[in-house]
Amino acid sequence: MSSKVSKLTQDVTDHRKKLSTTAEENEERTNAENDAELRRLIHTKLLSGSLNPELDMKPAQRRKALEGRLLELAGEVKLGKGEKSVKTAERNKAAQKVRLGMLSKQKERDGKQLEEAKNLGNYHPTIKKLFEPASQRNTRKREKGLTMGVGKFKRGVLKLSKEDISSIQGQASARPMRGKGRPSGRRK
């Protein structure tokens, strides 16, 4: 202990600050846990249409909602996306002509939604991804041919450049560095 009064009061205030910061950290941690639990409950219990008898859902709709909830609980799909994934899986079992008809109808609905958003003034070019058709959102350009990560495969032959070979062997580069190894002065 110190004989100075200022040091005694400083020690007490430091100790109180440490206690208050740990208490605040514990409170923040419990708040975060409670938020996560609330979100999980909302998506699994409160918003579940399959559990609410007052909605007067048809048995097929109730079954799809229940299957979607099970997929969400199993962790196969994100929360709130289970019923949609069940519907798309069921839609993929339909005949091709039926699927094409449903896709064309979906494009028509997306077009109407975009037109309505433009008329209402809700559309802005920065949020155009929200109004793109669902079929265009997740499509990636397909690379044709075999890809092995190294070289180019054409007409049944894998062509490797010097850089590809040196990268496989672990060397930095097969190209000589400029400025090194050349005689100084002019070329003749």
Side-chain angles (χ1 to χ4, degrees), residues 113-123:
Q113 182 184 10
L114 177 63
E115 244 351 274
E116 184 179 344
K118 285 182 179 179
N119 290 337
L120 293 174
N122 295 336
Y123 180 79

Side-chain angles (χ1 to χ4, degrees), residues 8 15 26 28 30 37 49 63 65 95 114 121 138 145-146 177 187:
L8 288 175
H15 184 67
N26 289 337
E28 287 180 19
T30 56
E37 182 69 20
R63 179 187 56 82
L114 177 63
N138 297 328
L146 297 175
M177 299 200 48
R187 287 186 165 173

